[in-house]
Amino acid sequence: MVKIPLRLGDHGERGGGSIVVGYDLLPRFGQTVRTVFTGKQVAVVTHPRVMRLYGKTVLDSLAGAGFSPVLISVPEGERNKTLEQVRSIYDRLIWHRFERSSLLVALGGGV
């Protein structure tokens, strides 16, 4: 596992962090997130293909670390990157009573 530090300038308490690169990291995802996030609510936004491949592992890992994960699935493809999809994501977050202090995770690069 390799950690690449992020230097984001002066952005207060959330101005740093790192990118973690490695093999078989998803089963430990929840514990890794727990080291930087003390809240309870985590939403995972992904599309169906990535969900089939990695979703269960990520959701189980988050739950195992004490989070209450919520899955938000959106269709893949450029034609679905619309304000309507953003509204749909917001609606789901509101339905689950997410707040500014909740965590939003994008699982997969196309979402």
Side-chain angles (χ1 to χ4, degrees), residues 37 40-44 68-72 89-105:
F37 179 65
K40 196 88 166 125
Q41 292 179 301
V42 178
V44 178
S68 299
V70 171
L71 172 67
I72 300 175
I89 291 168
Y90 283 159
D91 287 347
R92 292 283 309 275
L93 295 173
I94 290 167
W95 174 259
H96 289 283
R97 299 180 183 215
F98 273 62
E99 301 173 349
R100 288 180 59 129
S101 60
S102 302
L103 182 65
L104 186 61
V105 173

Side-chain angles (χ1 to χ4, degrees), residues 25-37:
L25 297 175
L26 290 181
R28 297 177 279 173
F29 182 69
Q31 288 302 322
T32 301
V33 171
R34 181 55 73 202
T35 66
V36 295
F37 179 65

